[in-house]
Amino acid sequence: MTENPRSSAEPDPPRDGMPEKPEPPGTASASAAASTAAAASASVMASASVAKKGARQRRVTITDVGTAAGVSTSTVSRVLNGTARVDPELARRVQDAVAELGYRPNAAAQGLARGEAGAIGVLVPDLSNPYFPDVLKSVSAVARSNGRRVMVMESDEDATSEHELAEDLMRCCDGVLLCSPRMNRAELVDLSMRGHPVVLVNRIVPGLSLPSVSVDFYGGMTLVCGHLTQLGHRRVAYLSGPEASWANAERIRAFDAAAAFGVDVTVIPCGHTARHGYAAADAVRDSGVTAVVAYNDLVALGAVTALEESGLRVPEDMSVIGCDDISLDDLPSSRRLTTASLARDELGRQAAQTLEALMAANGDTEPRVIPMELRVRHTSAPPAVSTH
C-alpha cells in the first residue's frame, strides 16, 4: 500500500486553491466573541431541540428547562414562581426555553413554593349518590379557574369518621368544603377553631363562625306539602333519611309545620338509597296514607318500584314525591318523578367561591341559602278516595 506523501499534520490547502487572507489587526477578538455568542445560542437551541424531541416520549421537567436555558433548576424555579428577583436576561432565557419545550409547571409544586398546597379538599358522605358528583363538577370548575386541584374524601355515611377525615384534608389542602357533614356540633366547633378555611355545605349551625352555603330544604318541603294539600291529600308518609343529616331534619321541621294546614305526616325511618326505599314500601302500604314523600329521588324510585310490583298504581293509588331532581338516563321512571328540585351546579359554584374568598381573607360568614322549586310531573295526583 502506498503512503500518502503529505503529512497528516500538514494543514489542508484552501478549497478554492487560493491562499487564505490574514485577518486585519483587531478583528480576532471580535470574531471570537461573535463565534462564542453564536455557539452559546446554538447550544441553547440545540439543547431545547433535543429536550423537545425527548418530550414527545416523556414529560418535560424543570431540569430540561434549566439545561435548555443554561441555568440552574433553582433559577428556573424562581422565575416561574416569582419568589425572588432574577436577572432579566436569565429570566428571558428561561421563558424562551419554557415556550420552546412546551413546559407546563406543576401547580402543586408552585403552590408549595408560595407556602400553599394548591388544592382544596371536599368531604362528602356518599359518592354513590348522583347528587354529590353533580356538586363536585361545579366545585372542580371553580377550583381549576383559580389554579387549584380538588381532593375528595368520602365518609360512607359514617359520622364518627368525619372529624378525622376533615383533619386529614386540612393538613394537605388550602381550604376544605364539608358537604352535608354528619358530625356533631362539638366536632365542628373544634374544626372552626383551627384557623383553617372551612365552608359548610348543606349544614347551618347557629352561633358557629363558619360560612355556609345551603339549600332551603324547609322551603322546598313546604312547597311539596302545599302541592299535596291542593290535590286533596291529608295523610302523608315521609321516608326519612340519615338520622344525622341536617337536610333530613329540615324536611321533618317543614312537615311538622304542615300540621297547621291539616296535613298529618307519618315519619317512617328509611335511608338514602333506592334499596332503602324499596324495603320501606310495606310500611307505606300499612300506614294507610295516600301519598309518600321520600328523602331523595333514589328512595322515591325504589318505593315506586316496590309499590307497583305489589299491584298499586302510581299515582292513581299512591302519589310519590322525591327530592333533588336527579336524572338517571337508564331509568325512565326518574324522568316522570314529581320532585323538589335544586340547582346542584349553583350550590357547588357558590360553595367553592365562598371558600376561595375565605382563603383570600375576605370571606363573609353570613349563610347563603339557595331556594328549591317544585317539579310537578307524573307521580302525583289527587287521592283515589277523597280525604275531605
Side-chain angles (χ1 to χ4, degrees):
M1 180 178 294
T2 305
E3 295 281 347
N4 187 335
R6 187 168 60 87
S7 168
S8 60
E10 182 180 349
D12 292 331
R15 294 187 180 181
D16 59 2
M18 300 295 293
E20 294 181 349
K21 292 183 180 180
E23 290 189 355
T27 62
S29 59
S31 178
S35 298
T36 300
S41 176
S43 176
V44 169
M45 296 309 295
S47 298
S49 177
V50 170
K52 187 173 183 180
K53 289 179 180 179
R56 298 191 186 110
Q57 300 176 352
R58 62 177 179 83
R59 183 182 178 87
V60 178
T61 68
I62 193 172
T63 302
D64 297 328
V65 175
T67 300
V71 300
S72 67
T73 54
S74 60
T75 297
V76 176
S77 179
R78 289 195 296 272
V79 172
L80 297 180
N81 294 327
T83 55
R85 292 181 61 84
V86 179
D87 179 85
E89 174 58 23
L90 295 182
R92 183 191 63 78
R93 282 160 53 183
V94 169
Q95 296 295 354
D96 287 348
V98 167
E100 174 67 23
L101 297 175
Y103 174 68
R104 297 179 61 186
N106 185 296
Q110 287 188 303
L112 289 173
R114 297 189 299 268
E116 301 175 356
I120 62 171
V122 185
L123 178 61
V124 300
D126 180 20
L127 281 173
S128 66
N129 186 337
Y131 177 98
F132 292 106
D134 285 349
V135 173
L136 287 171
K137 285 180 65 176
S138 292
V139 170
S140 181
V142 173
R144 286 198 310 271
S145 69
N146 287 277
R148 302 185 195 274
R149 300 293 185 265
V150 178
M151 179 180 293
V152 181
M153 286 190 176
E154 178 193 31
S155 67
D156 196 24
E157 289 290 355
D158 180 10
T160 62
S161 69
E162 284 192 340
H163 187 267
E164 182 179 353
L165 292 174
E167 288 182 315
D168 289 343
L169 288 173
M170 292 171 84
R171 279 190 284 269
C172 58
C173 298
D174 299 319
V176 176
L177 290 175
L178 299 179
C179 284
S180 303
R182 314 306 197 200
M183 70 183 82
N184 59 46
R185 179 191 174 90
E187 290 175 318
L188 286 172
V189 170
D190 176 70
L191 295 177
S192 70
M193 297 176 66
R194 305 293 182 89
H196 199 85
V198 175
V199 172
L200 300 180
V201 182
N202 281 344
R203 178 78 179 267
I204 296 177
V205 183
L208 191 64
S209 60
L210 288 178
S212 65
V213 180
S214 303
V215 173
D216 183 11
F217 293 110
Y218 179 89
M221 289 304 104
T222 299
L223 292 175
V224 169
C225 290
H227 173 61
L228 291 174
T229 300
Q230 290 178 345
L231 290 175
H233 295 277
R234 294 296 179 267
R235 300 189 63 190
V236 178
Y238 172 57
L239 298 183
S240 181
E243 185 177 352
S245 166
W246 172 83
N248 185 62
E250 286 293 285
R251 290 161 167 80
I252 293 176
R253 189 166 70 89
F255 294 135
D256 289 342
F261 299 97
V263 179
D264 180 18
V265 180
T266 300
V267 177
I268 299 175
C270 182
H272 61 284
T273 69
R275 177 172 53 83
H276 292 143
Y278 186 93
D282 287 341
V284 170
R285 288 193 301 270
D286 295 341
S287 65
V289 300
T290 58
V292 56
V293 180
Y295 170 72
N296 62 25
D297 285 356
L298 293 177
V299 172
L301 292 173
V304 167
T305 300
L307 290 170
E308 291 182 335
E309 286 180 356
S310 70
L312 290 179
R313 298 170 300 164
V314 177
E316 292 84 359
D317 300 320
M318 182 76 69
S319 290
V320 179
I321 299 179
C323 182
D324 294 345
D325 197 18
I326 63 173
S327 177
L328 302 176
D329 291 339
D330 56 342
L331 288 177
S333 57
S334 70
R335 295 191 291 273
R336 68 184 182 99
L337 186 67
T338 295
T339 186
S341 177
L342 63 98
R344 292 182 296 281
D345 56 343
E346 182 66 12
L347 177 64
R349 185 184 67 80
Q350 288 199 29
Q353 289 178 342
T354 300
L355 183 60
E356 286 291 338
L358 190 62
M359 291 186 292
N362 60 354
D364 185 358
T365 58
E366 284 297 314
R368 296 189 187 185
V369 179
I370 297 175
M372 300 189 78
E373 297 180 0
L374 181 65
R375 305 291 189 200
V376 179
R377 295 181 180 128
H378 308 296
T379 59
S380 57
V385 178
S386 176
T387 56
H388 288 285

